[in-house]
Amino acid sequence: MTPDEFQKFYPPLLNWLEMTLDAYSTAAQTVASRGFPRLPLYFSANTLASTKVALVDQLPIPPLSSMGLTRFVDFERGNFDGITYLDTFFLKQAQAKNEAMHFHELIHVIQWSLLGPDRFLFAYANGLEQFGYRESPLEVMAYDAERAFTSSSTIFDAERLVATKLS
Ligand SMILES: [Zn+2]
């Protein structure tokens, strides 16, 4: 995706994101309130207090095709268990107690925050286009960190890890 093309889709996409977060604002709870034991060892108290999670039956996915972005149709139809927009992530109800899943989406929250929405969306779209969902660089970073979280009790600063990988 060229920067010119991205500039065309960015305003309607951002508008959709803001309207979606607004619509779920009362249903969303802070991650801190979910009371997971390990997340505070990897993320700052501030991050866990400012990040929100909404448990839903159906994940809200932007209507990319109707915005004219037809080449992400696989992503649009994908059956995911979670997705992150800015400081809020959405999880299927079945993942409510899945701490690793919360960890994975928190990695995306840090990516959104450090890159800003324009650079996050541009990088995410290009990653999807070039490598597919699972091998896109922002997903590889989240899956690798999630694996480090689940496979070992060694504590690391997840926010610094993301900052280092993005720099
Ligand atoms: Zn992910």
Side-chain angles (χ1 to χ4, degrees):
M1 171 173 286
T2 65
D4 274 359
E5 194 185 7
F6 178 73
Q7 284 312 318
K8 198 170 70 170
F9 292 109
Y10 180 60
L13 194 49
L14 195 62
N15 185 50
W16 181 90
L17 289 173
E18 285 167 353
M19 285 177 49
T20 299
L21 294 191
D22 200 45
Y24 284 93
S25 61
T26 50
Q29 303 171 286
T30 67
V31 174
S33 75
R34 307 286 305 153
F36 286 107
R38 292 182 65 206
L39 295 180
L41 306 174
Y42 297 79
F43 295 94
S44 71
N46 186 46
T47 293
L48 298 180
S50 62
T51 302
K52 281 153 280 179
V53 52
L55 299 170
V56 293
D57 294 321
Q58 195 84 39
L59 299 182
I61 304 290
L64 300 172
S65 301
S66 43
M67 289 175 184
L69 258 178
T70 51
R71 61 190 185 275
F72 297 104
V73 69
D74 286 349
F75 177 79
E76 217 175 326
R77 292 182 187 156
N79 185 23
F80 302 103
D81 282 329
I83 197 156
T84 298
Y85 301 127
L86 299 156
D87 65 352
T88 301
F89 58 85
F90 296 84
L91 293 180
K92 295 264 182 77
Q93 301 277 3
Q95 307 302 329
K97 296 196 164 77
N98 186 339
E99 191 171 23
M101 191 91 204
H102 285 69
F103 180 96
H104 178 107
E105 301 304 331
L106 278 160
I107 295 291
H108 290 314
V109 168
I110 304 302
Q111 292 169 342
W112 274 97
S113 162
L114 293 177
L115 291 170
D118 53 345
R119 287 197 299 151
F120 177 92
L121 288 168
F122 188 58
Y124 200 91
N126 279 319
L128 266 187
E129 198 166 35
Q130 290 173 45
F131 307 105
Y133 164 76
R134 183 58 184 81
E135 295 305 320
S136 63
L138 292 172
E139 284 302 339
V140 168
M141 194 190 301
Y143 279 107
D144 284 354
E146 180 187 346
R147 192 179 326 110
F149 177 76
T150 54
S151 66
S152 158
S153 55
T154 304
I155 295 163
F156 56 92
D157 183 336
E159 299 185 33
R160 195 167 58 193
L161 175 84
V162 175
T164 304
K165 294 203 174 204
L166 287 177
S167 65

